[in-house]
Amino acid sequence: MIFSPKGAAVDVVELMAWLAERGCSVVFKADGERSPGHRWMVIVSGGPLGTESFFRSDEASADACLEATLAHLESVGITPFA
């Protein structure tokens, strides 16, 4: 669990469920075959992002993926903290 910039606690499973309820597809992956620093990946597509738009981030940790996802969602006006 990490905290959003506004101090709210965020669990990755809860965020994935929240996005799925809004029509998004979400992939959250750990890949031990990838090099350190890029073993975690998140992809979010569909729903309020649009049918032709998606977000992908490759990070060093699950928390970093979650932070990147929250930052992207906020940049396009989508937030689970409303």
Side-chain angles (χ1 to χ4, degrees):
M1 185 167 312
I2 68 163
F3 290 90
S4 75
K6 297 178 181 168
V10 180
D11 178 273
V12 68
V13 174
E14 290 177 10
L15 179 62
M16 290 175 72
W18 183 85
L19 288 165
E21 289 170 1
R22 281 145 188 85
C24 291
S25 294
V26 184
V27 175
F28 200 89
K29 177 182 175 185
D31 189 341
E33 294 182 2
R34 295 178 75 186
S35 63
H38 299 285
R39 288 191 171 154
W40 290 87
M41 178 185 67
V42 62
I43 299 172
V44 181
S45 64
L49 295 178
T51 57
E52 298 298 320
S53 182
F54 73 96
F55 169 76
R56 176 182 172 161
S57 186
D58 298 281
E59 302 291 343
S61 69
D63 286 350
C65 277
L66 192 53
E67 290 173 9
T69 303
L70 290 171
H72 177 74
L73 292 173
E74 188 170 324
S75 77
V76 297
I78 305 165
T79 178
F81 307 114

